[in-house]
Amino acid sequence: MHRFQGKFVKGSEPASVYWQRRAIVAGAAVVLILVVVFGLKALGSDSGGATAEGQAEPQEWVAPSSSSTLNRPQVSPTPSAEPSSASPSPTVPACAEDELMLQIVAAFDEVRSGSPVPVSVLVASTAAQTCAADLGQVAVELAAGADVVYSTAHCLEAEPREVELAEGAGQTVEFELDGLASEPGCAGDRRELPAGDYEMRARFGEAVSQPTTLTLT
């Protein structure tokens, strides 16, 4: 026994120490081998799955048939379309007369009595919000002193012309004065106005433009 130990054990330490060390080394080697074996098996199974998955070809989706047993969400039937009964958009408020600005311009400052005179009236709003105005209510009148001797509202039937006016925006109304005297309701005989200076102004209800002078000869 001592001879056998002498062949395989060398050194100054007892033989038992060498044998313990060799047993530890051998055990570690066995454990390492087992780890490598199980690791290779695990890698093989993973790579096999990846290969199978990678080789699988994408399949086109097919809609289930009416006899399919697949669960489907319950969808309420869509009601048939009916004419919309939604209320119209809110109407634009009417322009306040004190928020309207009128400006009148005649084609001539002086004209022969009885001759037609083209006149333009600009109606603008000073309101902070958009408002509606019926430009058919605009009239042009001539006054001699305190008496109105002519007005387009006397004999012309007003035609409604509703427009929307934004702040600072305006619309123009065109007239042609015939130079003949008139009365409310177009009553009485219409005659040529006498020569002289007349105050011409535009009116929209209580809103009145700055007057200008029209001279008839």
Side-chain angles (χ1 to χ4, degrees):
M1 183 67 178
H2 290 287
R3 292 179 181 178
F4 177 80
Q5 292 176 348
K7 292 181 180 180
F8 294 94
V9 178
K10 295 181 180 181
S12 59
E13 295 181 357
S16 59
V17 173
Y18 289 101
W19 285 110
Q20 290 177 358
R21 291 178 179 176
R22 290 178 179 179
I24 292 173
V25 171
V30 172
V31 172
L32 179 61
I33 293 172
L34 292 176
V35 170
V36 171
V37 171
F38 283 106
L40 291 176
K41 288 184 178 181
L43 291 175
S45 61
D46 291 344
S47 61
T51 302
E53 182 178 355
Q55 293 176 351
E57 296 182 357
Q59 297 183 0
E60 183 178 358
W61 181 84
V62 179
S65 63
S66 58
S67 60
S68 174
T69 58
L70 294 174
N71 293 327
R72 301 178 183 176
Q74 298 295 323
V75 181
S76 302
T78 303
S80 58
E82 297 181 357
S84 175
S85 58
S87 57
S89 57
T91 58
V92 177
C95 297
E97 293 178 356
D98 59 355
E99 293 181 328
L100 291 177
M101 181 182 67
L102 283 70
Q103 183 178 4
I104 187 168
V105 177
F108 313 108
D109 295 331
E110 184 176 317
V111 69
R112 185 173 179 177
S113 181
S115 299
V117 181
V119 174
S120 297
V121 177
L122 174 66
V123 181
S125 171
T126 61
Q129 62 180 354
T130 300
C131 59
D134 181 7
L135 299 186
Q137 302 301 315
V138 179
V140 175
E141 58 188 31
L142 296 177
D147 298 328
V148 175
V149 296
Y150 171 86
S151 175
T152 56
H154 287 169
C155 297
L156 296 179
E157 184 177 354
E159 296 182 1
R161 184 186 166 189
E162 195 82 11
V163 297
E164 295 182 5
L165 300 176
E167 181 182 7
Q171 294 279 350
T172 302
V173 187
E174 303 293 338
F175 296 92
E176 186 176 78
L177 311 188
D178 57 17
L180 302 178
S182 65
E183 296 180 8
C186 210
D189 296 333
R190 303 198 63 199
R191 64 190 186 279
E192 290 185 4
L193 291 171
D197 292 337
Y198 294 86
E199 185 180 273
M200 183 174 63
R201 59 200 178 210
R203 180 181 294 276
F204 187 110
E206 297 299 321
V208 182
S209 69
Q210 289 292 329
T212 185
T213 301
L214 177 64
T215 301
L216 300 181
T217 59

